[in-house]
Each structure stands twice: as C-alpha cells, then as structure tokens.
Amino acid sequence: MTRTLTPLLAALLLAAAPLSHAAPVAQAAAEAAGPAASAEEKVVYHVNDSDNATAALRNIQNHLNAAPDAKIVVVTHSKGIDFLLSGAADKNGNPYEPTVQALKDKGVGFRVCANTLKGRKIDPSTVIPEASIVPSGVAEIGRLQAREGYVYLKP
C-alpha cells in the first residue's frame, strides 16, 4: 500500500506546488501595479530652446486633454527661457503669454533658470509673472525627478 500511496502523494505535491507559488507571485504583481496605477501623474517638461516652445506648449495641452489631473512643471534654461520673457512671440508674431497663462490656470508650473538670466545678463523683472525663477534649471529638473518622483519629457 505504501508503494501505491508514495507516487500518488508525490504527484499531488507536485501538482499543488505551482499553486502555492502562484498566490504570492500574483499578490506581488498586484501590489507592484497597485501604487503605480493609483499614483499621481507628475511630469517635468524640459525646454532649453524656445524654437521648441510652441510644440512643447501644444504637447502640454494635449497631455492635459488626455490626463486632466496630471501635475506638470515646465523647466527652462539656456535659450529655452526666451518664451517666458515679456513680449515674447512665436515666429508668426503670436504672443506666448496667453497660452502660458491658460496652462498656468490649469495648474501647470513654469520655472526659469536664474543662472541663465545671470549668464545672459537678462533682468529678472522681464520674466512674465506666470513663471517663477529657480536657482538652476538643470538642478530643478534633477530635484523634481529624484526627490518628487516626476518623470522627464523633452519635446
């Protein structure tokens, strides 16, 4: 009788073994997906050339159309700050400020690099009121990614 039960018991244990591992694996997968699925969407857009500003602003609007609750910050430095200066307009003469204001009203933050202002000898008072000045644009991008969990997009 022992000879009959031993193979049967072994077969039963082998059949049940995948089930005992499946539950923890499935639970771990659900836990891994759970926080990501419910986490706040936070994105930093990097603009270092105002020639890309129109496309960046359009991308941000499209982003908000698809994900209205997304938290978006635009960080600018180098030539990327130019569209956030008073009187700035695109190549067709359309001012940037109304679009920036509309996005600001939807919660988008705009940040300008103080190092760029200093290096290019631009008076900080020329930065439009919708934008704030940060000590360093690249350091701000790094901080947002490392400390606040933002993902990086460069239009």
Side-chain angles (χ1 to χ4, degrees):
M1 176 127 174
T2 305
R3 287 182 173 227
T4 308
L5 287 178
T6 302
L8 184 59
L9 185 58
L12 183 60
L13 286 173
L14 287 173
L19 296 176
S20 66
H21 294 306
V25 170
Q27 182 180 358
E31 288 172 0
S38 64
E40 179 182 33
E41 181 178 346
K42 300 189 294 186
V43 182
V44 57
Y45 279 79
H46 176 196
V47 178
N48 64 348
D49 186 346
S50 282
D51 287 345
N52 299 331
T54 299
L57 295 172
R58 186 174 48 249
N59 287 347
I60 294 164
Q61 184 56 62
N62 290 341
H63 192 146
L64 289 172
N65 289 343
D69 295 329
K71 186 172 181 181
I72 297 175
V73 175
V74 179
V75 178
T76 65
H77 66 95
S78 188
K79 293 181 182 180
I81 72 164
D82 294 355
F83 81 100
L84 294 174
L85 300 177
S86 296
D90 66 18
K91 62 183 177 183
N92 297 319
N94 301 310
Y96 287 111
E97 194 166 1
T99 303
V100 171
Q101 180 62 57
L103 290 171
K104 177 84 172 175
D105 291 346
K106 292 180 180 183
V108 176
F110 291 89
R111 301 185 186 163
V112 172
C113 175
N115 288 334
T116 297
L117 292 172
K118 183 178 178 184
R120 292 177 56 195
K121 298 179 176 62
I122 297 172
D123 186 341
S125 69
T126 63
V127 174
I128 61 176
E130 293 82 5
S132 60
I133 298 172
V134 295
S136 167
V138 293
E140 182 70 359
I141 291 168
R143 186 187 70 75
L144 289 169
Q145 288 183 276
R147 295 189 185 161
E148 295 191 31
Y150 278 72
V151 296
Y152 175 89
L153 288 177
K154 185 158 183 5

